[in-house]
Amino acid sequence: MDTKFFKVNSARISEISLLASSNFEDEITAASKSSDLNDDIVAAAAAATQEQCQLIGTKSLGVDYGLSRTGVAITVGYNPKPIDIIKETNSALVVDSIVQYATSMQVSQIVLGLPLEKNGTECEQANLTRVFGEHLAIEVIAKLGPQVPVLLWDERYTSKEAAARAHSKNPDDDLYGTLDADAACIILETYYKNNGEGAERIQVNKEQHARSLAAYEQFKIKQKEEEQSILNKRLAKMEKMQNLMERSKKLEEEMRANGTLGLSNKKKRKKKIRKRNTFIRLD
């Protein structure tokens, strides 16, 4: 027998014997304290995480706007996922696509990257992004309501960061036109990492805000009408099925009473002929 194996098992046997001879209530108390300690650790970790980033759990749509391509990503605070690269130069169509994504994914906010110069000043692209962001905010209010904000977030170096990450994975790949959604992911990463501090909510002027709110109320009414129409169609279909089932049940009862239940069509015709001939002979 291996001496090392014997020593290890001897030590284990001694440990088991010691545990068996200890007071059972003490073991339960110790286990309870250990469980309480684990719960405290978990609670403390959760509190620390929540304190560090209060946005965890908030679903956000990230947008990296461009004149020819717009990247879109989604996250609830960790591991953002790229969704799409919208290859469209018409900003109105880009807005529609983003609103559709925001609606289908039920996001709580939209984070739009604002391209700034290295020194923090705004360039021409930043001005174009602000104009686009205002159009987006107007449409979001009209379709999702005023509770879904559109936020501007400093996106300096996100494109370079996306390129660096892609190159580290596949150095030989041609990255042209493929990084916009990845840049949108990095926008969300930095936004959550900084707990959203410094984000700027896009404000819409009062008149346009009122028009968008009115459009939102009409949109909700139309949506309810469509939902009611779908429900009515379902109810009508269920009623039709119920009527068919009742007719089938009634027909089955009649066939059972006539003795034709379970007979083939040929046998039914023969039985009908015999019945008719019987009546003729009786006459």
Side-chain angles (χ1 to χ4, degrees):
M1 181 181 294
D2 190 341
T3 307
K4 184 178 179 181
F5 176 85
F6 179 76
K7 288 181 178 179
V8 171
N9 281 275
S10 298
R12 182 59 180 158
I13 291 170
S14 300
E15 182 182 353
I16 294 172
S17 300
L18 181 62
L19 288 172
S21 62
S22 61
N23 188 286
F24 184 71
E25 293 183 358
D26 291 341
E27 292 180 18
I28 295 297
T29 303
S32 177
K33 288 181 179 179
S34 176
S35 177
D36 292 341
L37 181 60
N38 290 336
D39 291 342
D40 291 341
I41 292 173
V42 172
T49 302
Q50 187 68 25
E51 183 178 356
Q52 183 179 2
C53 185
Q54 299 175 358
L55 294 170
I56 292 293
T58 302
K59 186 180 287 188
S60 302
L61 196 72
V63 179
D64 180 40
Y65 173 67
L67 295 179
S68 58
R69 297 182 310 275
T70 299
V72 185
I74 188 78
T75 188
V76 291
Y78 54 89
N79 193 25
K81 300 290 185 183
I83 298 175
D84 189 16
I85 297 177
I86 305 170
K87 297 178 180 179
E88 178 61 61
T89 57
N90 187 329
S91 60
L93 296 179
V94 177
V95 166
D96 289 341
S97 297
I98 293 172
V99 170
Q100 287 177 14
Y101 280 124
T103 302
S104 63
M105 296 185 173
Q106 298 180 334
V107 302
S108 299
Q109 58 187 11
I110 298 174
V111 182
L112 174 63
L114 181 66
L116 300 176
E117 299 288 1
K118 292 181 180 180
N119 60 4
T121 58
E122 295 190 11
C123 57
E124 180 62 24
Q125 182 60 33
N127 294 331
L128 293 173
T129 300
R130 282 188 175 275
V131 173
F132 172 80
E134 185 174 352
H135 290 313
L136 178 60
I138 290 170
E139 193 66 18
V140 166
I141 294 173
K143 295 293 177 61
L144 281 80
Q147 72 279 2
V148 179
V150 178
L151 307 169
L152 290 172
W153 183 255
D154 182 0
E155 68 158 29
R156 277 177 289 181
Y157 310 115
T158 55
S159 297
K160 291 183 178 180
E161 175 66 19
R165 293 184 185 183
H167 272 300
S168 65
K169 295 179 181 178
N170 300 294
D172 299 328
D173 282 359
D174 182 9
L175 303 177
Y176 179 76
T178 64
L179 300 176
D180 302 274
D182 293 330
C185 288
I186 297 173
I187 289 171
L188 290 175
E189 283 181 10
T190 57
Y191 173 77
Y192 278 85
K193 183 178 179 181
N194 292 276
N195 209 23
E197 295 179 2
E200 176 189 347
R201 179 167 184 168
I202 296 178
Q203 301 295 332
V204 179
N205 67 68
K206 291 183 178 180
E207 293 181 1
Q208 184 59 61
H209 192 272
R211 286 196 292 269
S212 295
L213 279 179
Y216 177 59
E217 294 301 325
Q218 290 298 319
F219 177 76
K220 286 197 299 182
I221 292 173
K222 184 179 179 181
Q223 195 174 39
K224 287 183 179 179
E225 290 176 349
E226 290 176 352
E227 291 174 353
Q228 188 61 45
S229 176
I230 293 173
L231 178 61
N232 291 339
K233 289 180 181 179
R234 289 179 179 175
L235 291 174
K237 188 175 181 180
M238 291 174 62
E239 185 178 358
K240 185 177 180 180
M241 291 294 294
Q242 184 68 28
N243 291 336
L244 287 173
M245 291 174 64
E246 290 178 357
R247 287 173 57 188
S248 177
K249 185 177 180 180
K250 185 177 180 180
L251 180 61
E252 183 180 342
E253 291 175 351
E254 291 177 354
M255 292 174 67
R256 184 179 287 108
N258 296 333
T260 58
L261 184 64
L263 297 177
S264 63
N265 291 334
K266 188 175 181 180
K267 291 182 178 179
K268 289 178 184 178
R269 285 196 296 272
K270 287 183 178 180
K271 185 169 183 178
K272 189 175 182 180
I273 292 171
R274 285 199 302 270
K275 189 175 183 180
R276 186 178 57 189
N277 292 337
T278 302
F279 288 146
I280 292 173
R281 286 196 296 271
L282 290 175
D283 291 341

